[in-house]
Structures are given as structure tokens and as C-alpha cells.
Amino acid sequence: MKKVLLVALTCYFGTSVMAQNYERCRTPQAIQYQENLTPGYMQDVNNVFNEAKSYIPKKSFQPIYTIPVVVHVVYNIAAANLPDSVIIDQIRVLNEDYNRMNADTVNMRSDFDIVKGSPQIQFVLAQIDEFGNPTTGITRTQTSTTSFGSIALISGDFSDLEKVKSTANGGHDPWDQTRYLNIWVCDMSVFGITALLGYATPPSNLPNWPPGSNPGLEDGVVIQYQAFGSNNPNTLDVGNGAIDVRGRTCTHEVGHYLGLRHIWGDGDCNEQDGIDDTPNADDQSNQDCDFNKNTCTDNILGVDLPDMVENYMDYSEETCQNSFTQGQVDLMHGVLENQRYDLVHNNIASIDELDETLFTLSPNPANALIKISAKNSIKQVEIVSLTGATVFNKEFFEANSSNQTVDVSKLENGIYILNIQTDNVLASKRIVIQK
Ligand SMILES: [Ca+2]
Ligand SMILES: [Ca+2]
Ligand SMILES: [Ca+2]
């Protein structure tokens, strides 16, 4: 890892400051920073990765994963106070990229048809805040800090950057990190030079830090403000003219947040990303769209694949990124079923109460009987409290039971999550019991 860090720092001095090139992502350096503060963190990240990788889906169908997002816009100048339209567009990009609905999948070389995958993960701006109140899922903070980037970053010190995640230090505190993906959008330039587009925390046992410990990284994603969305009114220019921004910096950083590593493994052909179906590449990470590179010899399903500049976890230009592999998808699902379980299970923040495409229930609020109507036969109804306790559970065995009634008269007043399972879907809605 020391070697990797050295390479990265060399890149930083050699390219970013010269404004010939730039550091796309400093997630590996962020991990090293945390390791220095709390030795053992890196091992924990590795353990988590291996746990997630060994996850085997137990369900016969793909659950719908919905991740509630809060975007913290922290700005000093008005230009960095991005309009809602940019934030909404970034969410659209995430949804396209994580559902393989992006139009540019057609640009993926057919070599990768054998490995391509769709994560089928949805992102929604949070509709309910951590106190149960309606929200837009966007916070706005004007700060006196002109930039959270500083010279300290060059020596691997993230403490100035991390101030964006603290209200007391000129940023904005995170919302409950077990229930929300927190994304901060701010200026991280150093001496006015944009040298870093983003970084993220990989899944770890973050909620379980020993009492009194002072972890150096708050969980979430940070993005340089000009690199957010695909309709950003600001120009991203690191010295070579305007960069075509497509919102893929956020796609890349959310990939780290869900456990993925850089596709080339942050090193030469001896270093790889731990994912079996992503072709390895050497330590000269691709910063272009060179389709002629095949820097490391692989045997993936019997084939030596070329370097996959189409992969979101490469450093290639946003215009040629369009794909994840199935191995990457499996790893992210493993993370969502383990270390980030609470983010996508029984999470009231992710429930779209207005969505009637999967099922309806009435009345709501209820005091006795609730009528549930689904598109398909209902197999099971479960009601869960906000603390995660199952307070009602009933299975149905009728062949055709797309309408069911459940009796909730024994439940105490309060807010609950009602989950239904049908033949092919697991879906949730918020219900209120009020007597
Ligand atoms: Ca490599
Ligand atoms: Ca690989
Ligand atoms: Ca190869």
C-alpha cells in the first residue's frame, strides 16, 4: 500500500499541480489517512470486502434496492450553490448508470458482453428527514470557508477536507449514516487549482467505532462542485480546457461507497481490484479513452480482455464510461446485504409513499383493518417498527391473493413500515397507526 500511496502522491505533484492532469479520486488515500489515525482500519475494509464478496443471494429474485440520498451543498461563492436542477440531474444519472439504462451502453465494446452487469439500485432524494419530517433531500449551507482543499492534502492529511462534514467547522453535519447516503458538494481546490474531483468512504464498521474514538473520516461521498450533475452551469477545467462532465464522478465515488475499488487495483499487473471478472490494468491508470490498451494478461472466462476503459471504476474520461461488471454488481449487493443493510432494508427514508405501481394500502392512518392490493399474489405481509422490530408477520398460501386484509388493532400508535412480498417483488410503504 505504501508503494501505491507513493505513486498517487507522485501523480499529485507531477500532474495536478502542473495542471496538465488531475487526480480524479482520492479514496485510496483517504483509506490510508484513516489507517494512520486508527490502525486496523485498512484490515477492516479488506475484511468487509471479503465478507461482501462471499455473500450469496438467498432470494430467488432480485430485491429492489432503494438508497435514500441527502445532498449537502456547502458553498462560499454563489456559483457553488448549485441549483436543484443539477442535483436532480445527478440523481437521474445515478439511476441510469446503476440500472444500465444509460443510452451510451451501446458504446461498450462487445468484448465485455460476457461480464457486463446491472446493479439495479435506485437512488431517491430523501423524502423524510432523520426526525420524520418532510424534506427535499437537499441541505444548503453558506460557509466562510473559501475551499476545503488545502496543502495538507498533499501529505495525505484529510482533516481540512473533512470539515465539510461538520456544521461546527463550516460544513454540514451528516444525517444518520446508516439510513442515508450523505453526499457533500463543495469546493476542494488548492490555491484555486481543481486537483481533486471526489472521494468516498468504503463500507466498514463505521457505526461501531469504539466509544470515545475520533474517526478521521465521516461516512459518505464528497464531490467537487463543478463535477456534479451533467447540466452543471460551471466549467470544470484543470488546465486543458473544459472537461465534458456527465455526472460520472458521483457514479464512481458511489461505487467506492458500495465497496468497489479502482478497476486497475491501484498498482501494476501484480495489484488487482479483487473482482474476478474485471480485467486488470497496470498502474498507469487510464485517463483517456484508449481502446487499444491491453496492459495485463487475464483469463476471464477464457479470454484475455483488453483494459476496460468503459468501466465506471476506471479513471477514463466520463464520455467513455458506461458499464459495471456482474462481479462488481455482486460485490455491491453483498455490501447492501451486510455492512450497509440498514440503508436499504426497513428504511423509512427510502419509501416512496406516492408510488402505487407495486401496491396500495388503505386506510392510512389505520386503527383496525388495512386492505392491501398488489399487482401479484401476496405471499407475506410484515410490519416493522422504526427500531427494526417485527410486530406483525403473516404468510398467505392462497393461489390468487392479490388482495388481503390484515388486522393491526393490537399495534400501538406510531409510524411503521409495512413490507409485502409477492411472487416477484419485495416492497414497502409507511403506515401510521392512530386510534
Ligand atoms: Ca493493476
Ligand atoms: Ca479484476
Ligand atoms: Ca488484459
Side-chain angles (χ1 to χ4, degrees):
M1 191 66 200
K2 280 213 169 69
K3 183 184 165 204
V4 171
L5 188 67
L6 193 66
V7 169
L9 291 175
T10 307
C11 286
Y12 192 94
F13 282 116
T15 59
S16 299
V17 175
M18 294 293 284
Q20 294 299 310
N21 224 322
Y22 58 103
E23 189 78 11
R24 290 282 295 276
C25 163
R26 289 182 73 91
T27 294
Q29 293 89 335
I31 293 171
Q32 181 66 56
Y33 171 68
Q34 181 70 77
E35 170 69 16
N36 293 342
L37 292 178
T38 48
Y41 176 79
M42 199 174 286
Q43 184 59 48
D44 185 45
V45 168
N46 288 334
N47 293 344
V48 158
F49 182 88
N50 289 325
E51 268 172 46
K53 198 176 172 188
S54 63
Y55 167 74
I56 298 162
K58 295 177 191 69
K59 302 183 182 74
S60 56
F61 58 90
Q62 167 68 52
I64 297 175
Y65 291 122
T66 303
I67 297 181
V69 180
V70 54
V71 176
H72 304 290
V73 180
V74 182
Y75 63 98
N76 176 257
I77 58 171
N81 187 16
L82 299 177
D84 286 359
S85 57
V86 174
I87 294 160
I88 290 164
D89 184 71
Q90 179 64 69
I91 299 295
R92 177 191 65 77
V93 171
L94 285 175
N95 280 314
E96 287 187 1
D97 289 354
Y98 278 83
N99 288 279
R100 210 168 166 77
M101 302 283 284
N102 44 307
D104 54 2
T105 54
V106 296
N107 298 336
M108 188 194 75
R109 283 168 289 173
S110 59
D111 307 63
F112 302 112
D113 279 339
I114 56 171
V115 296
K116 71 183 179 189
S118 170
Q120 294 184 274
I121 299 170
Q122 300 176 1
F123 298 83
V124 292
L125 281 170
Q127 301 181 340
I128 299 169
D129 74 11
E130 53 185 343
F131 306 109
N133 301 313
T135 175
T136 59
I138 302 169
T139 73
R140 293 184 182 281
T141 305
Q142 187 162 24
T143 180
S144 60
T145 304
T146 52
S147 174
F148 290 91
S150 74
I151 196 73
L153 191 60
I154 293 173
S155 59
D157 181 350
F158 280 67
S159 57
D160 287 331
L161 278 186
E162 283 288 300
K163 287 175 182 170
V164 75
K165 302 175 179 174
S166 160
T167 304
N169 289 310
H172 195 293
D173 289 342
W175 290 7
D176 179 355
Q177 286 136 318
T178 65
R179 297 290 184 181
Y180 299 90
L181 161 57
N182 284 263
I183 300 177
W184 288 265
V185 183
C186 64
D187 190 1
M188 297 186 279
S189 62
V190 180
F191 302 132
I193 298 171
T194 300
L196 163 66
L197 300 190
Y199 70 102
T201 50
S204 181
N205 58 350
L206 290 173
N208 307 319
W209 288 97
S213 71
N214 184 24
L217 295 174
E218 284 284 356
D219 192 31
V221 168
V222 187
I223 306 287
Q224 176 70 22
Y225 74 90
Q226 301 99 327
F228 204 66
S230 72
N231 59 347
N232 198 304
N234 302 286
T235 301
L236 179 65
D237 186 343
V238 295
N240 297 320
I243 292 172
D244 193 347
V245 170
R246 303 278 178 97
R248 260 76 190 251
T249 296
C250 195
T251 299
H252 176 104
E253 295 303 335
V254 170
H256 284 311
Y257 172 83
L258 294 175
L260 299 183
R261 297 174 176 174
H262 287 146
I263 187 173
W264 72 97
D266 296 299
D268 61 18
C269 292
N270 296 314
E271 307 278 345
Q272 50 94 21
D273 66 351
I275 304 287
D276 298 337
D277 67 357
T278 49
N280 197 1
D282 68 18
D283 56 6
Q284 302 301 312
S285 52
N286 295 297
Q287 298 223 0
D288 51 25
C289 294
D290 187 344
F291 292 121
N292 297 313
K293 279 189 183 172
N294 187 351
T295 53
C296 302
T297 304
D298 294 290
N299 183 345
I300 296 171
L301 302 172
V303 183
D304 176 17
L305 291 172
D307 294 6
M308 190 178 182
V309 295
E310 292 95 327
N311 198 281
Y312 296 120
M313 302 313 291
D314 199 6
Y315 262 12
S316 49
E317 290 165 14
E318 298 188 45
T319 48
C320 60
Q321 294 185 345
N322 51 49
S323 296
F324 287 112
T325 68
Q326 187 59 44
Q328 291 175 315
V329 169
D330 293 343
L331 190 279
M332 290 192 278
H333 289 176
V335 165
L336 290 175
E337 291 292 342
N338 289 281
Q339 297 79 26
R340 297 205 185 278
Y341 185 91
D342 290 342
L343 195 62
V344 289
H345 293 92
N346 300 323
N347 186 355
I348 198 162
S350 69
I351 295 170
D352 185 348
E353 291 162 86
L354 301 177
D355 182 0
E356 297 197 336
T357 56
L358 297 174
F359 75 103
T360 62
L361 54 83
S362 68
N364 190 9
N367 56 24
L369 299 177
I370 297 180
K371 185 167 179 285
I372 304 166
S373 297
K375 292 277 182 278
N376 298 304
S377 195
I378 298 170
K379 298 295 181 196
Q380 189 173 8
V381 172
E382 177 192 50
I383 300 177
V384 181
S385 73
L386 291 187
T387 56
T390 301
V391 295
F392 179 96
N393 189 12
K394 188 171 181 183
E395 290 185 65
F396 300 95
F397 300 100
E398 298 96 319
N400 188 2
S401 56
S402 56
N403 294 295
Q404 290 290 356
T405 301
V406 297
D407 183 356
V408 294
S409 56
K410 292 205 175 82
L411 300 186
E412 293 177 9
N413 284 354
I415 300 170
Y416 297 86
I417 297 163
L418 186 148
N419 300 317
I420 71 162
Q421 186 175 331
T422 70
D423 294 327
N424 59 353
V425 102
L426 184 67
S428 306
K429 276 190 191 296
R430 182 169 82 143
I431 59 162
V432 177
I433 307 298
Q434 202 168 35
K435 289 176 244 178

